[in-house]
Amino acid sequence: MMLIGWLAFICCDFFLAMMSLQARDVWSLSSLVWFPAGLLLGILCTLPPRYWPIWLLSSALVHLVASQLYGRPVNVSLIFCFFDALSLTVTALIWQFFYGVMARPVRERDIIVLVILCIVSGIIERFVTTWALLLLDYPIDQSISVIHTVGYVISALPLTFFVFYLITRVKRERIDTRGYLIMLSMLVAMLALFWRTSDILNEALRWQDLALIFSLALPVLLAMRGDLLMLSGFLSLCSIISVGATLFGYGPFYQMLLVQQEDVLVAAWYSAVLSLPALLCASLVSQKSALLARHRWREQLMDNVLQHGCYHRFQLGSSDDLRWLYQSRWPESGHAPVSWQQFIGWLHPDDRLAVEQLKNSASATPQVLPIRLADRYGEFHQSSMALVACQEGQVFWFEGVIFPLQVLLPPEGDI
């Protein structure tokens, strides 16, 4: 699997590098977008450091070959290659120092932390690279545009998240076939939208506005499913499609501004603004779904324990009717109480007022009260009763559990 992943990385890295070099900024000799950085950062943040040399060397060689094929000077290619690998390595070291190996950014806080860390490291890398080119007496623009730098960094972040979720995917997770079919249909819609020529624009229908609507609606639909892997893959392809279409003269961003580099920056920022809210939304949905699943499993486990133990669980309706989930577990009797008044009759007279007060003061937080419960022989046994108030819409009821402190047994003569 490592060999297959390495071969796929080499092919994707070379393709993305050649496409990113098409958007070179002539005033700083750097590329306005650099998608290979997203691939490499995801791998470095996920794998242990002992595997880093092979990926760093492979990425550096691909970077150098692509730069030479594009016509960059050798020393410029070496500068960009070295500082790019160095900044990504430092970023991965910081991430693994705080989160460890194979730690996927699932929570909203983790996603925000990774984005901020990448932006800071990208700004530092751009400053150091500009300083190195100035030392070589290259006539470049000495000013560092924060907007350009941030757009350069976050345009590759969807690829970083995709590699994160792909490598750390749990094998027992089911493949959402329906979700992937939905994603495929959305990608077809995005391709049909962005690879349209600009000569069909008219005042009645602006394809720019339609692209905004599609780009906001489609990721939200995927985000509601809570599948971060599927969503990050879709966002990565959308980012590549929007930038690539603008570079080759298609889509709603082509010739939007006077300079093509500015059009590419708009497409990169557009993809980034599209991606981050969708990832945060999917993270929230994923966390809530996992929490609900844990509660469901605990409920099933508790039901199983209650069914096979000496506990008694009941539901008390608004009309004081009782429903026992396991009537056969009612102590020593085949006639479990069917109303609240009958249940009160099974309690010790000194405990009845306290139980009534417990019912009147029940809330969403479970409350526990020690009680004495009678058996059919008239003997009272120490127990505990827990009661919680439940409400769903206009329906109101109580959930209760009785925990006997000892197993109720009949007298020795009746055994």
Side-chain angles (χ1 to χ4, degrees):
M1 290 301 297
M2 185 73 72
L3 178 60
I4 295 174
W6 179 76
L7 293 175
F9 169 78
I10 293 297
C11 297
C12 295
D13 196 27
F14 180 76
F15 168 76
L16 294 175
M18 293 301 295
M19 189 183 75
S20 300
L21 287 172
Q22 299 292 327
R24 190 178 63 175
D25 184 8
V26 296
W27 297 109
S28 62
L29 300 180
S30 63
S31 179
L32 296 174
V33 293
W34 189 249
F35 292 119
L39 288 177
L40 183 60
L41 180 61
I43 293 174
L44 295 182
C45 290
T46 308
L47 298 181
R50 64 178 179 272
Y51 295 116
W52 288 5
I54 182 64
W55 299 98
L56 287 171
L57 290 175
S58 302
S59 178
L61 289 176
V62 170
H63 194 161
L64 290 176
V65 170
S67 297
Q68 293 307 301
L69 291 176
Y70 191 76
R72 268 182 173 179
V74 177
N75 50 3
V76 174
S77 301
L78 289 174
I79 288 175
F80 281 108
C81 178
F82 174 75
F83 287 113
D84 181 65
L86 180 62
S87 65
L88 295 179
T89 303
V90 173
T91 303
L93 285 173
I94 295 174
W95 173 265
Q96 291 197 7
F97 177 79
F98 289 100
Y99 291 92
V101 180
M102 295 288 289
R104 57 191 304 180
V106 178
R107 298 175 300 176
E108 299 92 336
R109 183 181 63 184
D110 301 339
I111 294 176
I112 295 174
V113 167
L114 181 59
V115 171
I116 295 176
L117 180 62
C118 292
I119 291 175
V120 172
S121 64
I123 293 175
I124 295 175
E125 185 250 337
R126 179 59 60 90
F127 175 81
V128 175
T129 304
T130 303
W131 176 74
L133 292 174
L134 286 175
L135 291 180
L136 294 177
D137 294 330
Y138 276 95
I140 63 173
D141 186 5
Q142 302 182 15
S143 63
I144 299 176
S145 175
V146 177
I147 296 179
H148 289 195
T149 304
V150 174
Y152 165 82
V153 172
I154 61 181
S155 61
L157 278 179
L159 284 166
T160 301
F161 286 106
F162 174 69
V163 174
F164 256 111
Y165 303 135
L166 181 63
I167 296 178
T168 59
R169 183 180 182 273
V170 182
K171 292 184 179 180
R172 65 173 179 267
E173 293 180 356
R174 294 182 178 180
I175 298 177
D176 188 1
T177 306
R178 182 179 178 182
Y180 282 101
L181 289 177
I182 295 174
M183 185 189 72
L184 181 61
S185 62
M186 292 180 178
L187 281 176
V188 172
M190 294 293 288
L191 284 170
L193 179 63
F194 275 90
W195 290 88
R196 299 294 296 269
T197 56
S198 59
D199 55 356
I200 62 174
L201 298 179
N202 53 66
E203 296 181 358
L205 180 62
R206 289 178 52 87
W207 288 99
Q208 293 95 329
D209 300 336
L210 190 58
L212 287 172
I213 295 174
F214 265 100
S215 300
L216 291 175
L218 298 183
V220 169
L221 293 176
L222 285 179
M224 297 307 294
R225 304 185 69 88
D227 192 337
L228 289 167
L229 174 61
M230 180 172 57
L231 176 64
S232 59
F234 174 77
L235 293 174
S236 301
L237 292 176
C238 286
S239 180
I240 295 172
I241 288 172
S242 61
V243 173
T246 306
L247 285 173
F248 292 100
Y250 295 94
F253 302 116
Y254 179 66
Q255 292 184 346
M256 177 179 289
L257 300 176
L258 298 178
V259 184
Q260 185 183 20
Q261 285 79 7
E262 297 294 333
D263 296 338
V264 173
L265 279 176
V266 172
W269 266 103
Y270 185 70
S271 304
V273 173
L274 175 75
S275 302
L276 295 181
L279 286 171
L280 293 176
C281 179
S283 173
L284 180 62
V285 172
S286 176
Q287 293 297 305
K288 294 299 182 181
S289 300
L291 181 62
L292 290 176
R294 287 195 295 268
H295 285 311
R296 184 174 63 253
W297 295 330
R298 290 172 184 173
E299 176 106 7
Q300 294 175 355
L301 181 61
M302 192 62 182
D303 283 346
N304 194 20
V305 171
L306 291 174
Q307 188 174 6
H308 295 86
C310 56
Y311 310 101
H312 322 296
R313 181 178 175 184
F314 62 88
Q315 289 182 352
L316 176 61
S318 57
S319 58
D320 286 347
D321 56 306
L322 279 175
R323 186 172 69 91
W324 300 88
L325 270 70
Y326 314 109
Q327 285 195 11
S328 60
R329 297 298 172 182
W330 182 256
E332 319 257 345
S333 173
H335 304 284
V338 296
S339 65
W340 180 255
Q341 290 75 17
Q342 291 182 9
F343 173 72
I344 293 295
W346 284 80
L347 301 176
H348 193 279
D350 295 339
D351 296 337
R352 295 173 182 176
L353 179 60
V355 172
E356 289 286 357
Q357 293 177 351
L358 175 66
K359 174 191 173 185
N360 296 331
S361 62
S363 62
T365 303
Q367 301 181 36
V368 182
L369 178 69
I371 61 173
R372 284 165 287 184
L373 187 65
D375 58 14
R376 64 177 179 174
Y377 304 102
E379 297 183 4
F380 292 95
H381 302 268
Q382 291 291 335
S383 305
S384 292
M385 175 180 173
L387 197 68
V388 62
C390 307
Q391 185 175 2
E392 183 176 353
Q394 301 297 326
V395 181
F396 183 80
W397 75 98
F398 299 93
E399 295 274 353
V401 181
I402 298 175
F403 302 89
L405 299 184
Q406 58 183 352
V407 180
L408 304 181
L409 296 175
E412 295 181 0
D414 295 341
I415 296 179

